[in-house]
Amino acid sequence: MTGPELKQLRDDLSDTLGRKLTASDMARLCGLPGKDGADTIRRWEVSGPTPSATKVLRVLAMASERYPILEKFDIFNRHDVREEDRPAKRAAFREQMRDEVRRRLG
């Protein structure tokens, strides 16, 4: 993930949650502490996050419709899930991801 992609993710999650996420909010999502965490996010929005933060952010990005559901989480396209049930199951999964983002934000 590049710095501009992280910045775009912050905007996309803001749209999804219906409120503007700050650098401090993004730091909480990544598990970064206090004021230093917000400064780290601002630096990452230029240079890109660490690989471990990128993994967390790619999972949390699934809260937004603008990001794909990662393959290891995609249990909806299996043969044992009826095709007509898939959209509702995807929507429920995305809502679970939004709840997780809200939980991390406090």
Side-chain angles (χ1 to χ4, degrees), residues 15-31:
D15 291 345
T16 295
L17 297 175
R19 73 176 188 91
K20 181 85 170 138
L21 294 181
T22 65
S24 294
D25 292 331
M26 293 301 287
R28 271 185 266 148
L29 290 177
C30 293

Side-chain angles (χ1 to χ4, degrees), residues 44 48-55:
W44 285 355
T50 64
S52 59
T54 296
K55 288 178 186 176

